[in-house]
Amino acid sequence: EEKRKEVEAQLEGLNFGSAEEAAPVLTLPDIHDEVVGALRQAGYQTAGQILDAGADALLQIEGFDQETADAVLASAQQVQQGN
């Protein structure tokens, strides 16, 4: 009983975060859901990751052409500026 109280006291001060904090959802204004889904499947979770990757990396995603990559980068830039 004493050990249980000790453990509870230690856990009381810890913040495990919420599920929302742990898994950000990638959203890009004006970009089709299918494109956002392809980005998620390719491992991109944030607008910052997309911007860091650049057009050449985006063009490696199946179905992405230069127009799609440019639109995605422009949208990611808008998201970053909003943060």
Side-chain angles (χ1 to χ4, degrees), residues 7-78:
V7 171
E8 285 176 354
Q10 289 174 344
L11 291 177
E12 203 171 279
L14 296 178
N15 179 10
F16 292 102
S18 68
E20 290 176 12
E21 291 172 351
V25 177
L26 177 64
T27 56
L28 296 171
D30 303 321
I31 301 298
H32 292 287
D33 291 342
E34 295 82 13
V35 173
V36 174
L39 289 163
R40 286 186 190 137
Q41 194 167 14
Y44 298 102
Q45 297 178 12
T46 67
Q49 290 174 336
I50 291 168
L51 292 171
D52 289 344
D56 288 341
L58 296 180
L59 290 170
Q60 301 304 310
I61 299 172
E62 187 175 337
F64 277 47
D65 57 15
Q66 189 66 50
E67 184 180 347
T68 302
D70 290 344
V72 165
L73 289 168
S75 183
Q77 186 67 44
Q78 286 181 325

